[in-house]
């Protein structure tokens, strides 16, 4: 009988390559997406609404698709199909001509621009020709609102295709490693995700910076599609496993109740929500601010790539920093302060390179948030709910908070400008930091039960009680024997 070989090192290596390529693809396009919306002529409120829709679709569809893929044992098929379709869908955005209301600043000579980078003066002459043909079915609205609804539909469809990939692949790998009792190796995958994100952002910025005058910003989309196809080829070999035993029913709802029932976990969830809002508002409109200061794609790529690179460098120091700060409550407070200072730096931006310190600070703050959520998860999770609790925190930060932040950020930028958005975000986080410090001080800390010591204590108590019983029995017997001897002596 032949037994299946379990190659843990090879499995982790393939999973690391998969997530590296996938993160490279996302980094090539997603951070620059709002900049492309600005090029198309969409307003800040429209851009924020589109990005919020993207996050809300992920909030609902990502856990649902992960459960369905596991239930029907179709994880590999779901991953490969989603990768292929998510590579094709965003290319549809390239079919839309700009509305002519773009505020984008270009650095190329007019004679070097292709049709996609025609100056605004000449765009107006060829607009009644393109829009009447392409957007003729929506005559009730002006061209800008037509563009808004079409882009939002495509972005939501794109998120439906892209959302299931990461959780489905992570679940399959975790169950594979759990079967061979090697779940501690799963942490290595996160390191490759961060390196892939940094590489994708930096590489896209460099390529577009050098080739902007030839092919324009469409290079972001083509690079994204190429990396997605490469990722799909690796997904065919990705180690996936499904436990035959069923999961505990209602584990997601149980995880939500665990977070809700612990005061410190609830503070961590609120902090994750607010930092998610701040992070989304910053990531959506920081490139608008940099573009207002004549930043090139090269500068944007290098500056944006610093945050995941800083996180990757600090990842091995997770345990050391946690011990240094004694408890994760202080680390959470450090995260809030770091995000507040980061937003304040962005509001004072006078040159693109001035964002470098803020990006380094963002790497430290984001890492501190992730470590704090992980430590809080270990505090409150019951056996079998660890990953569910961790994903509750992630959903608060990356989906719900990000969606609310994009929506509110777009409205603030539309009405008051980018600088006011960053200043208001910094003030909000600073106030929450003060409130968090006070609440953490007022909430009593519950001591964790050390079960090994409890068992030792029980054993010692039992031994002491046994010896006491033996002593009592022996003393009674000696007293009775002594009494009997005295009675016999008296008879004599």
């Amino acid at each position: 009988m032949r037994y299946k070989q379990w190659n843990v090192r090879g499995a982790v290596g393939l999973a690391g390559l998969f997530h590296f390529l996938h993160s490279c693809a996302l980094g090539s396009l997603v951070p620059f997406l709002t900049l492309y919306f600005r090029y198309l002529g969409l307003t800040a409120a429209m851009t924020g609404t589109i990005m919020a829709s993207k996050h809300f679709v992920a909030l609902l569809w990502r856990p649902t698709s992960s459960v369905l893929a596991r239930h029907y044992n179709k994880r590999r098929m779901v991953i490969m199909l989603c990768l292929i379709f998510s590579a094709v869908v965003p290319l549809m955005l390239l079919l839309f001509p700009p509305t002519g209301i773009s505020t984008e600043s270009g650095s190329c000579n007019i004679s070097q621009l292709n049709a996609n980078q025609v100056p605004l003066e000449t765009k107006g002459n060829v607009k009644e020709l393109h829009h009447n043909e392409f957007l003729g079915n929506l005559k009730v609205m002006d061209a800008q609102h037509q563009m808004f609804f079409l882009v939002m539909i495509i972005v939501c469809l794109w998120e439906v295709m892209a959302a299931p990939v990461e959780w489905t692949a992570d679940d399959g790998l975790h169950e594979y490693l759990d079967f061979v009792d090697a779940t501690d190796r799963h942490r290595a995958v996160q390191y490759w995700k961060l390196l892939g994100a940094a590489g994708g952002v930096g590489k896209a910025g460099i390529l577009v910076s050098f080739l902007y005058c030839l092919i324009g910003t469409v290079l972001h989309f083509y690079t994204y599609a190429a990396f997605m196809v490469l990722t799909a080829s690796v997904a065919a070999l990705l180690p996936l496993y499904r436990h035959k035993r069923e999961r505990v029913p209602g584990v997601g709802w149980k995880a939500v109740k665990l977070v809700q029932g612990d005061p410190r976990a609830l503070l961590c969830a609120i902090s994750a929500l607010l930092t998610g809002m701040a992070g989304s508002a910053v990531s959506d409109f920081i490139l608008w601010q940099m573009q207002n200061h004549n930043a090139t794609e090269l500068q944007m790529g290098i500056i944006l790539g610093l945050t995941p690179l800083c996180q990757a460098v600090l990842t091995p120091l997770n345990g050391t920093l946690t011990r240094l700060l004694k408890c994760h409550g202080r680390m959470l407070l450090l995260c809030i302060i770091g995000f507040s200072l980061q937003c304040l730096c962005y509001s004072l931006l006078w040159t693109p390179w001035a964002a470098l310190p803020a990006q380094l600070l963002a790497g430290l703050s984001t890492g501190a948030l992730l470590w704090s959520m992980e430590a809080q998860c270990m505090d409150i999770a019951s056996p079998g709910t660890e990953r569910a609790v961790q994903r509750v925190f992630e959903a608060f930060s990356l989906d719900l908070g990000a969606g609310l932040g994009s929506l509110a950020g777009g409205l603030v930028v539309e009405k008051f400008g980018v600088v006011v958005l960053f200043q208001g975000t910094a003030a909000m986080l600073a106030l929450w930091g003060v409130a968090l410090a006070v609440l953490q001080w007022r909430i009593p800390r519950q001591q964790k039960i050390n079960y090994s010591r409890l068992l030792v204590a029980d054993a010692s108590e039992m031994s002491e009680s046994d010896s006491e019983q033996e002593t009592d029995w022996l003393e009674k017997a000696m007293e009775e024997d002594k009494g009997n001897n005295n009675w016999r002596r008296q008879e004599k």
Side-chain angles (χ1 to χ4, degrees):
M1 181 177 178
R2 299 182 62 184
Y3 293 93
K4 184 176 180 179
Q5 297 294 323
W6 297 86
N7 185 357
V8 176
R9 180 176 295 181
V12 174
L14 273 174
L17 178 61
F18 172 86
H19 286 288
F20 177 82
L21 293 175
H22 185 245
S23 297
C24 276
L26 296 178
S28 300
L29 177 59
V30 175
F32 302 94
L33 201 58
T34 57
L35 205 62
Y36 189 75
F37 294 160
R38 191 184 199 187
Y39 162 75
L40 291 178
L42 300 180
T43 64
M46 292 177 176
T47 299
T49 304
I50 291 172
M51 297 303 292
S53 303
K54 181 177 182 295
H55 293 302
F56 290 145
V57 168
L59 176 66
L60 298 175
W61 178 235
R62 184 182 286 122
T64 305
S65 60
S66 177
V67 171
L68 291 176
R70 184 188 187 278
H71 178 74
Y72 292 103
N73 199 19
K74 299 294 182 182
R75 280 175 172 160
R76 193 178 306 277
M77 184 182 72
V78 167
I79 292 171
M80 296 187 68
L81 289 178
C82 287
L83 288 171
I84 293 172
F85 282 109
S86 62
V88 175
V89 171
L91 297 179
M92 298 172 62
L93 294 173
L94 300 179
L95 300 175
F96 300 157
T99 60
I101 316 175
S102 175
T103 59
E104 179 185 12
S105 61
S107 58
C108 294
N109 199 322
I110 294 178
S111 62
Q112 295 175 306
L113 292 170
N114 59 10
N116 288 331
Q117 281 81 40
V118 178
L120 295 181
E121 292 79 5
T122 59
K123 285 178 187 174
N125 297 329
V126 297
K127 197 56 57 187
E128 289 55 25
L129 179 61
H130 289 290
H131 279 288
N132 287 340
E133 296 175 359
F134 192 76
L135 303 173
N137 295 328
L138 302 174
K139 294 182 179 179
V140 246
M141 296 184 242
D142 56 87
Q144 194 177 37
H145 284 83
Q146 292 171 356
M147 181 72 70
F148 165 66
F149 283 106
L150 288 173
V151 170
M152 186 166 63
I153 291 171
I154 291 178
V155 168
C156 290
L157 179 62
W158 176 22
E159 190 61 29
V160 168
M161 295 291 104
V165 173
E166 190 169 356
W167 277 24
T168 305
D170 269 345
D171 286 343
L173 175 64
H174 189 271
E175 293 191 20
Y176 179 97
L177 296 176
D178 184 41
F179 185 79
V180 294
D181 196 21
T183 52
D184 57 318
R185 304 289 298 273
H186 191 267
R187 293 175 177 269
V189 175
Q190 181 65 25
Y191 184 77
W192 291 106
K193 289 181 184 179
L194 295 172
L195 289 181
V201 173
K203 168 200 54 61
I206 293 172
L207 288 178
V208 174
S209 180
F210 284 108
L211 302 176
Y212 181 81
C213 295
L214 297 177
I215 58 178
T217 56
V218 297
L219 186 61
H220 289 296
F221 292 86
Y222 295 146
T223 307
Y224 167 84
F227 271 109
M228 278 296 185
V229 172
L230 285 175
T231 309
S233 64
V234 176
L237 306 174
L238 193 66
L240 300 173
Y241 186 75
R242 178 180 179 271
H243 282 313
K244 293 182 180 179
R245 67 175 186 269
E246 292 296 328
R247 289 182 176 178
V248 180
V251 66
W253 178 245
K254 186 177 181 181
V256 173
K257 292 182 70 176
L258 286 172
V259 174
Q260 183 183 4
D262 187 273
R264 293 187 178 272
L266 193 58
L267 288 180
C268 185
I270 296 174
S271 300
L273 177 70
L274 294 178
T275 53
M277 292 176 62
S280 178
V282 167
S283 61
D284 286 350
F285 296 104
I286 181 57
L287 294 187
W288 287 36
Q289 173 80 327
M290 294 176 66
Q291 192 179 64
N292 293 341
H293 291 84
N294 299 319
T296 64
E297 293 272 350
L298 176 63
Q299 292 171 318
M300 295 178 184
I302 293 175
I303 291 173
L304 291 182
L306 277 179
T307 298
L309 187 61
C310 181
Q311 285 181 251
V313 171
L314 292 175
T315 296
L317 302 177
N318 179 6
T320 305
L321 290 176
T322 303
R323 289 191 298 270
L324 182 64
L325 294 174
K326 304 294 184 183
C327 61
H328 49 271
R330 298 181 184 178
M331 188 174 290
L332 186 61
L333 187 59
L334 177 66
C335 158
I336 300 296
I337 295 173
F339 273 116
S340 179
L341 292 176
Q342 174 197 352
C343 295
L344 183 61
C345 291
Y346 287 141
S347 68
L348 302 175
L349 199 68
W350 68 92
T351 179
W353 293 118
L356 285 174
Q359 289 299 110
L360 293 173
L361 194 60
L364 177 61
S365 302
T366 306
L369 175 64
L370 295 176
W371 302 333
S372 183
M373 291 192 299
E374 182 179 352
Q376 189 65 63
C377 171
M378 297 302 294
D379 276 357
I380 66 170
S382 57
T385 63
E386 295 86 356
R387 285 173 62 80
V389 172
Q390 187 172 0
R391 285 182 170 175
V392 168
F393 288 125
E394 291 178 359
F396 268 92
S397 175
L398 301 179
D399 295 325
L400 180 59
L404 295 174
S406 294
L407 192 61
L411 295 175
V412 172
V413 173
E414 181 87 4
K415 196 169 181 89
F416 304 104
V418 182
V419 175
V420 175
L421 170 66
F422 293 148
Q423 291 175 347
T425 304
M428 176 195 70
L429 291 176
L431 291 175
W432 173 245
V434 175
L436 180 64
V438 173
L439 291 172
Q440 285 182 339
W441 175 64
R442 294 295 300 271
I443 295 176
R445 175 167 294 278
Q446 297 180 354
Q447 297 293 333
K448 295 179 66 176
I449 300 175
N450 192 323
Y451 289 99
S452 60
R453 292 184 180 178
L454 188 61
L455 291 175
V456 172
D458 290 342
S460 62
E461 289 176 1
M462 289 177 63
S463 61
E464 289 176 0
S465 61
D466 291 343
S467 62
E468 289 176 358
Q469 290 177 3
E470 291 178 359
T471 304
D472 293 343
W473 174 82
L474 183 58
E475 289 178 353
K476 289 179 180 178
M478 290 177 66
E479 288 178 357
E480 290 178 359
D481 184 62
K482 185 177 179 180
N484 292 335
N485 290 337
N486 292 336
W487 179 73
R488 288 173 183 171
R489 288 175 185 172
Q490 289 176 1
E491 281 187 345
K492 291 180 180 180

